[in-house]
């Protein structure tokens, strides 16, 4: 096995571990680490990539993202609420300079635009 594949597999497992921590701790993201793990496994180990895609709880979300760029509506609403709370805290309680606050709010707005322009589910077939 090539060193590159070993690195990607180890990196993928680290991301899976961080994703698990993120599922328990509200301050850590879960999805981003699992998507990075899926990417690393796809490049380093098709078997582990398949395992992640076939996972009973996580597989459908990762598969929908890889195939269609879909973000579930529940995830979109959660992102909207968390970003709104963070932005509100920053505006009302932060001591950061106005330029830093404005720049951060602009980035958060762009993130929300990206999230809400993705499909909410995989397309339904007409079978």
């Amino acid at each position: 096995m090539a060193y590159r594949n070993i690195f990607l597999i180890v990196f993928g497992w680290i991301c899976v571990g961080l994703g698990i921590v993120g599922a328990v701790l509200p301050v850590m993201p879960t999805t981003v680490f699992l998507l990075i793990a899926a990417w690393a496994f796809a490049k380093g180990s098709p078997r582990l990539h398949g395992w992640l895609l076939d996972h009973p709880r996580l597989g459908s979300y990762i598969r929908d993202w890889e195939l269609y760029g879909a973000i579930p509506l529940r995830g979109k609403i959660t992102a909207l609420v968390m970003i709104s709370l963070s932005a509100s805290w920053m505006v009302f309680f932060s001591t950061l300079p106005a330029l830093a606050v404005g720049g951060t709010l602009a980035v958060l707005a762009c993130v929300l635009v990206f999230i809400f322009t993705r499909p909410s589910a995989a397309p339904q077939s007409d079978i």
Side-chain angles (χ1 to χ4, degrees):
M1 183 179 287
Y3 288 115
R4 176 183 173 271
N5 289 4
I6 293 170
F7 171 79
L8 288 168
I9 291 169
V10 169
F11 181 64
W13 278 116
I14 290 170
C15 288
V16 167
L18 290 171
I20 291 169
V21 170
V24 178
L25 297 177
V27 296
M28 288 260 309
T30 299
T31 306
V32 68
F33 288 117
L34 293 176
L35 292 176
I36 293 169
W39 169 84
F41 286 162
K43 301 286 185 188
S45 171
R47 183 180 62 83
L48 289 173
H49 184 246
W51 168 78
L52 200 53
L53 291 179
D54 292 336
H55 190 276
R57 301 219 351 117
L58 308 171
S60 64
Y61 300 115
I62 296 169
R63 213 172 18 258
D64 286 351
W65 173 256
E66 283 188 355
L67 295 174
Y68 309 107
I71 299 173
L73 183 59
R74 180 177 172 203
K76 291 178 179 185
I77 292 170
T78 302
L80 175 65
V81 168
M82 298 306 289
I83 288 174
S84 297
L85 289 173
S86 298
S88 297
W89 180 88
M90 184 176 291
V91 167
F92 295 112
F93 301 110
S94 175
T95 58
L96 292 171
L99 186 60
V101 172
T104 303
L105 293 176
V107 169
L108 292 176
C110 291
V111 169
L112 284 175
V113 167
F114 175 81
I115 288 171
F116 279 92
T117 56
R118 305 298 103 201
S120 294
Q124 300 296 319
S125 63
D126 295 331
I127 297 178

